[in-house]
């Protein structure tokens, strides 16, 4: 259940403490406790031991941000709780741990005041609501909805709403925090938020999904708004979901198209929004390759994920001369050393709901897609897919993180030593939220842009964002991930102080 290599300097009490940790994990998993609850059990046991046995314990940055550990004496026994929990409970913890780790490193580089640092890490508000709906078969079904509003120092909070069976507060918290730094890196006037409902949208019909969305909106309508918190689509949701939220919210507050983004164009959605994240990936990739004297047209690409982001990125990169040599999605994976015909693949995928069975390439094991030979690897699906198990086998020279948190911290270190250049997610996939900002602006102004203007403005923001990240890399002598995090954290910290933090 645990990896003893993750615990350092535990001395003779190491095995005993690991036994306690395992018991906590077992209790948490059997009783479906949240990560925070399991963590709290472990922390309280550690603190008890520290008093009873007069040990001195250092709690990791993740837990220090959530619990008052100021009374804990200086370090003598180091326990990397954050990493151990991550290895046991999977990618959700890894996402939260990695986000907090990157924030802590950025805060140190910036020399932030410790109290300000802690304030920036703790969410502004966490919302949890029960959503009970009648199903078409006459039964009642109850679901739990979440909305984490992380920070509003730079403007209204912004982030998606996802419908997924495994939505939990820790995952939502990590993604909300990432949105705070992402909007700051993009230099758009937003803070960060994220939300979701723990449900399987595939098991609900369209009328049940509408009821669920409307009940959720009824529960949170006083806590979102045009200048408060602006939701958007995410995993398991779409423009229709946003249309229902807009309609339900408007019943309470009057017609308010700017309360959500990612809406259908007929209800005030922006042209170019559907392709925005993939187009942003194109602009980010072009900027990075130009920095190294390359261009898209002479590079071989592998794309993991062929949903909205992956398919648009593949189409646009192909149109700009890039050679897509391998692609995967949930149904399978294919490769072709001379390049896949993307227009044919798009048609096949739409008609067959996946790339499986496509005749224009050789089928391969989807698990090997990340280690296929290429110049540029674009993970555009799930988080945590690049890890210590496969990092050494990756052959790409560049990785463009189109997914959220595809690379875990251990893989980061391995790839860095290999000389692989990683363009981090909080910059690389910010095209979507940037065009969401354009949509919000258009709704407030009541004046819609044509698609050419949207795409041109997006390119301007992405190019400026890359320059700003590179400038921070030079200032702090750090890699692109830390350059992006220091840029985002610094902008939020400055806004917080200017608004009168601590007054």
């Amino acid at each position: 259940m645990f990896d003893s290599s993750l615990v350092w300097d535990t001395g003779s009490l190491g095995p005993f403490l690991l036994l306690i940790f395992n018991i906590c994990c077992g209790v948490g998993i059997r009783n479906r406790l949240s990560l925070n609850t399991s963590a709290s059990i472990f922390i309280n046991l550690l603190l008890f031991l520290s008093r009873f046995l007069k040990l001195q314990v250092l709690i990791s940055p993740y837990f220090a941000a959530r619990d008052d550990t100021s009374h804990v004496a200086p370090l003598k026994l180091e326990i990397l709780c954050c990493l151990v929990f991550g290895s046991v409970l999977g990618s959700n913890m890894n996402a939260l741990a990695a986000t907090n780790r990157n924030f802590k490193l950025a805060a140190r580089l910036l020399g932030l005041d410790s109290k300000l640092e802690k304030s920036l890490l703790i969410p502004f508000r966490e919302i949890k609501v029960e959503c009970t709906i009648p199903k078409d078969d006459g039964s009642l079904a109850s679901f739990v909805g979440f909305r984490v509003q992380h920070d509003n120092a730079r403007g209204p909070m912004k982030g998606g709403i996802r419908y997924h069976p495994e939505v939990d507060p820790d995952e939502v918290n990590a993604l909300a925090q990432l949105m705070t730094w992402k909007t700051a890196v993009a230099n758009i006037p937003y803070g960060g938020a994220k939300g979701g409902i723990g449900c399987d949208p595939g098991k609900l019909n369209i009328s049940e999904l509408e009821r669920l969305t409307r009940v959720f909106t009824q529960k949170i309508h006083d806590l979102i708004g045009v200048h408060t918190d602006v939701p958007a689509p995410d995993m398991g949701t779409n423009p229709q979901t946003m249309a229902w939220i807009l309609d339900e919210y408007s019943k309470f507050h009057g017609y308010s198209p700017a309360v959500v983004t990612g809406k259908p164009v007929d209800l005030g959605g922006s042209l170019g929004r559907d392709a925005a994240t993939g187009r942003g990936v194109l602009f980010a990739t072009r900027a990075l390759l130009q920095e190294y004297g390359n261009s898209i047209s002479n590079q071989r690409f592998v794309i993991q994920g062929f949903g909205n982001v992956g398919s648009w990125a593949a189409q646009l990169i192909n149109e700009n001369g890039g050679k897509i040599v391998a692609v995967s999605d949930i149904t399978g994976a294919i490769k072709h050393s001379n390049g896949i015909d993307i227009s044919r693949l798009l048609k096949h995928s739409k008609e067959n709901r996946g790339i499986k069975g496509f005749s224009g390439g050789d089928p391969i094991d989807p698990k090997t897609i990340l280690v296929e030979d290429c110049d540029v690897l674009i993970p555009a699906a799930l988080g945590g897919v690049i890890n210590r198990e496969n990092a050494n086998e990756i052959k790409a020279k560049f990785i463009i993180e189109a997914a959220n948190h595809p690379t875990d911290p251990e893989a980061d270190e391995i790839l860095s030593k290999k000389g692989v250049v990683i363009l981090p997610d909080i910059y690389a996939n910010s095209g979507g939220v940037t065009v969401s900002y354009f949509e919000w602006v258009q709704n407030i102004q009541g004046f819609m842009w044509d698609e050419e203007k949207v795409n041109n403005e997006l390119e301007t923001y992405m190019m400026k964002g890359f320059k700003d990240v590179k400038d921070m890399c030079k200032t702090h002598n750090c890699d692109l991930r830390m350059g992006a995090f220091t840029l985002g954290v610094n902008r939020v910290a400055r806004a917080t102080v200017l608004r009168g933090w601590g007054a």
Side-chain angles (χ1 to χ4, degrees):
M1 180 171 280
F2 59 82
D3 181 350
S4 60
S5 68
L6 294 173
V7 181
W8 298 348
D9 193 27
T10 54
S12 60
L13 284 173
F16 175 63
L17 290 172
L18 287 171
L19 175 63
I20 293 174
F21 170 72
N22 271 336
I23 293 170
C24 293
C25 285
V27 170
I29 291 169
R30 281 194 300 272
N31 293 281
R32 299 182 65 85
L33 299 178
S34 74
L35 179 61
N36 286 343
T37 306
S38 300
S40 295
I41 294 171
F42 187 44
I43 288 169
N44 287 328
L45 282 170
L46 286 179
L47 294 179
F48 170 77
L49 284 172
S50 72
R51 295 190 188 100
F52 183 72
L53 299 176
K54 296 184 180 179
L55 294 175
Q56 297 170 332
V57 182
L58 174 68
I59 306 300
S60 74
Y62 165 70
F63 299 119
R66 288 184 164 264
D67 295 87
D68 181 11
T69 58
S70 57
H71 59 285
V72 181
L75 130 145
K76 188 174 185 180
L77 175 66
E78 293 189 0
I79 301 174
L80 299 183
C81 313
C82 172
L83 289 177
V84 179
F85 263 104
S87 68
V88 174
L89 295 182
S91 62
N92 286 355
M93 176 53 196
N94 284 340
L96 187 56
T99 302
N100 285 308
R101 167 187 175 274
N102 290 329
F103 168 81
K104 287 280 183 180
L105 291 172
R108 287 196 200 105
L109 284 173
L110 294 167
L112 293 187
D113 175 85
S114 60
K115 292 179 180 178
L116 175 60
E117 179 182 323
K118 186 172 182 178
S119 175
L120 291 176
L121 200 56
I122 297 172
F124 171 77
R125 182 187 287 131
E126 296 186 14
I127 305 159
K128 181 178 180 181
V129 296
E130 180 191 18
C131 302
T132 300
I133 61 165
K135 296 189 72 178
D136 285 358
D137 63 7
S139 65
L140 288 177
S142 291
F143 306 92
V144 178
F146 303 97
R147 186 71 176 170
V148 175
Q149 298 171 329
H150 181 257
D151 190 277
N152 62 357
R154 301 183 68 253
M157 292 163 284
K158 187 83 183 75
I161 291 177
R162 57 177 51 187
Y163 289 179
H164 192 273
E166 296 179 9
V167 167
D168 69 55
D170 300 300
E171 177 192 36
V172 175
N173 200 310
L175 295 171
Q177 187 190 146
L178 270 178
M179 284 302 298
T180 296
W181 316 135
K182 184 184 293 185
T183 54
V185 169
N187 205 20
I188 53 179
Y190 284 143
K194 208 75 174 185
I197 299 177
C199 69
D200 185 347
K203 295 182 179 179
L204 299 173
N205 62 36
I206 190 75
S207 62
E208 291 167 342
L209 284 170
E210 179 176 356
R211 281 179 224 133
L212 179 59
T213 302
R214 289 183 182 277
V215 169
F216 183 52
T217 307
Q218 291 165 14
K219 296 291 181 78
I220 68 169
H221 74 89
D222 280 331
L223 300 172
I224 62 174
V226 175
H227 299 290
T228 306
D229 179 1
V230 183
D234 202 303
M235 185 188 303
T237 58
N238 55 34
Q240 179 60 72
T241 316
M242 298 303 105
W244 292 328
I245 294 174
L246 163 60
D247 183 69
E248 196 64 28
Y249 180 87
S250 296
K251 292 177 183 177
F252 297 95
H253 302 277
Y255 184 60
S256 308
V259 72
V260 289
T261 60
K263 304 179 292 295
V265 173
D266 290 340
L267 288 176
S270 178
L271 296 171
R273 176 63 185 89
D274 189 48
T277 307
R279 193 176 297 277
V281 169
L282 169 73
F283 294 144
T285 304
R286 180 190 293 162
L288 179 65
L289 292 176
Q290 286 176 349
E291 183 76 14
Y292 287 84
N294 296 316
S295 66
I296 286 176
S297 61
N298 62 5
Q299 301 294 304
R300 295 168 302 136
F301 293 79
V302 166
I303 300 178
Q304 185 211 31
F306 207 66
N308 174 272
V309 178
S311 61
W312 274 109
Q315 181 178 336
L316 294 167
I317 287 169
N318 182 66
E319 289 174 2
N320 281 265
K323 185 187 292 186
I324 315 294
V325 296
V327 172
S328 73
D329 70 1
I330 195 170
T331 67
I334 55 168
K335 73 174 183 178
H336 194 302
S337 58
N338 293 323
I340 297 167
D341 186 334
I342 296 300
S343 59
R344 278 186 58 210
L345 180 60
L346 286 166
K347 183 179 179 182
H348 174 90
S349 178
K350 186 175 181 179
E351 292 174 350
N352 297 276
R353 308 186 88 177
I355 66 174
K356 185 177 181 180
F358 180 64
S359 60
D362 300 320
I364 58 173
D365 184 347
K367 294 178 182 178
T368 68
I369 189 75
L370 297 168
V371 299
E372 287 293 325
D373 187 30
C374 65
D375 300 306
V376 183
L377 172 63
I378 303 180
L382 300 173
V385 294
I386 301 175
N387 48 53
R388 63 179 176 177
E389 280 77 29
N390 59 19
N392 277 313
E393 299 177 53
I394 287 176
K395 303 174 182 67
K397 305 179 188 73
F398 303 96
I399 296 176
I400 313 295
E401 295 187 334
N404 285 322
H405 179 63
T407 311
D408 73 22
E410 289 175 302
D412 238 347
E413 291 185 19
I414 293 169
L415 292 166
S416 178
K417 289 175 182 176
K418 289 176 60 177
V420 178
V421 179
I422 302 175
L423 197 58
D425 51 356
I426 63 169
Y427 165 71
N429 66 22
S430 63
V433 72
T434 302
V435 174
S436 281
Y437 164 60
F438 298 162
E439 179 179 333
W440 182 73
V441 168
Q442 292 170 72
N443 293 157
I444 290 172
Q445 291 179 336
F447 183 81
M448 307 307 289
W449 302 353
D450 61 36
E451 190 166 355
E452 183 180 5
K453 179 175 174 63
V454 172
N455 293 340
N456 289 341
E457 290 290 339
L458 174 60
E459 183 173 13
T460 299
Y461 270 77
M462 294 299 295
M463 295 301 101
K464 180 66 165 61
F466 184 79
K467 179 182 180 301
D468 291 343
V469 170
K470 287 296 294 183
D471 287 345
M472 291 300 279
C473 291
K474 292 173 184 175
T475 299
H476 298 287
N477 190 28
C478 59
D479 62 15
L480 288 167
R481 191 179 305 283
M482 272 302 101
F485 266 87
T486 53
L487 176 63
V489 172
N490 188 50
R491 283 175 171 164
V492 177
R494 287 175 60 189
T496 301
V497 171
L498 287 169
R499 289 186 63 167
W501 173 81

